[in-house]
Amino acid sequence: MSIQDLIRPSIKALKPYSSARDEFKGSKDNLIFLDANENPFENGVNRYPDPQQGELKALISKIKNVPTENILLGNGSDEVLDLLIRMFCEPNKDNIIILPPTYGMYEVLANVNAVETFKVNLSYETFQPQDSNIIEAANINSKILFLCSPNNPTGNSFEASTIEFLLKNFKGIVVIDEAYIDFAIEDSWLGKLQHFPNLVVTQTLSKAYGMAGIRLGMCFASAEIIATLNKIKPPYNINQLTQDKAMEGLRKMTLVNSQIACLLDERGALIKALEDVDFIVKVYPSDANFVMVKVDDANKRYEQLIDSGIVIRNRTTQPLCDNCLRLTVGTEEENKRLIENLKTL
Ligand SMILES: *Cc1c(COP(=O)(O)O)cnc(C)c1O
């Protein structure tokens, strides 16, 4: 498969904007910068940030064991997903494939870009991709297949053999959205980047790393794909405050790992407690920091919980999610209150 053949012609031909900080990259010491029309009075953020986020990428590279040439950072993974669609999908011509029930942003971003969305539902109850149906649904304009694993809102990981089949048989880009990978038993696909030229992995600082507020998404792919994404990203897409805060957070991996361990314990306790709530029909297994449950009447239970001061996500309108609610794992205290409240309804 040639990645170049998948890229939109207009993007391949694009000459990227060259910013002041692209054109002069020398060290900052003893230089006077009069090239970017910045305000010269120091306040910590008066200068444009590094457009390539060199220091931050070096840190991520070390933590993830992926070379920096295989990393692109975005203003949340949502920006990364948008860039991927714009790189590969010609408006009013190409399509993406998604596997409902899944993360809502893939379809929204496709719609924004006038790209059609083909849908192949996950299998009933096990929520695994129906691999041969997916390959059958694809046509020559199917440029990206989005796999969310662990999947939001169902919480399960997709089987490695199924993902491998799709990587080998789908004739486009396979994006594995690993927003919840730090809570999963399954391994990340980051280690397989070299084996599959069409593999793109996205991760985020918004969930396990506890930094949803700073908006930092990560994209890992071949140097070829990353180079083209770099051409089309906004020049200074990661602001200085985000770069600073991300580095601060990523230097505290012991804290992050202990929080993950705590949330995994809490998830186990929550699942056990949910199984004893009489109107909960089913508690689905979870590889993420949330649990999906099927109840007798999702709309009613959702409203009741709001009345008792607890906000959860009602997923009942999603395919295969009749009467399903999605509950985020909170602190021990929060989970206790959730359970106590559920038992009084
Ligand atoms: C939360 C979430 C994200 C994170 O998006 P950000 O823009 O990085 O905050 C991505 N994918 C899925 C499936 C999610 O649930």
Side-chain angles (χ1 to χ4, degrees), residues 76-78 103 106 148 152 177 179-180 204 206-207 215:
S77 9
D78 292 343
Y103 187 47
Y106 312 131
C148 186
N152 179 3
D177 183 340
Y180 300 99
T204 176
S206 296
K207 307 287 156 62
R215 313 303 301 128

Side-chain angles (χ1 to χ4, degrees), residues 2 16 35 99 133 150 153 171 173 185 227 268 284 298 327 337 341 345:
S2 156
D35 59 346
L99 315 182
N133 294 7
K171 299 196 169 11
I173 301 296
I185 292 185
Y284 293 91
L327 319 169
R337 264 193 57 198
N341 273 286
L345 301 184

Side-chain angles (χ1 to χ4, degrees), residues 74-81 102-106 148-152 177-180 202-207 211-212 215-218 290 326:
N75 185 3
S77 9
D78 292 343
E79 183 183 46
V80 168
L81 301 170
T102 193
Y103 187 47
M105 279 305 286
Y106 312 131
C148 186
S149 182
N151 187 46
N152 179 3
D177 183 340
E178 294 189 337
Y180 300 99
T202 64
Q203 295 185 3
T204 176
L205 298 193
S206 296
K207 307 287 156 62
M211 291 183 271
R215 313 303 301 128
L216 194 90
M218 300 173 278
F290 57 84
R326 193 194 69 192

Side-chain angles (χ1 to χ4, degrees), residues 50-73 190 193-194 217-230 233 247:
D50 175 1
Q52 279 304 319
Q53 309 98 27
E55 253 188 294
L56 175 54
K57 273 189 197 165
L59 190 53
I60 292 172
S61 167
K62 234 171 70 187
I63 293 170
K64 300 288 175 184
N65 198 23
V66 173
T68 53
E69 61 171 18
N70 300 105
I71 305 173
L72 175 111
L73 303 180
L190 278 184
L193 280 178
Q194 261 95 347
M218 300 173 278
C219 176
F220 305 92
S222 70
E224 186 183 15
I225 292 175
I226 296 296
T228 303
L229 287 171
N230 262 319
K233 81 174 183 66
M247 302 237 282

Side-chain angles (χ1 to χ4, degrees), residues 73 166 244 306:
L73 303 180
L166 292 167
D244 294 345
I306 289 195

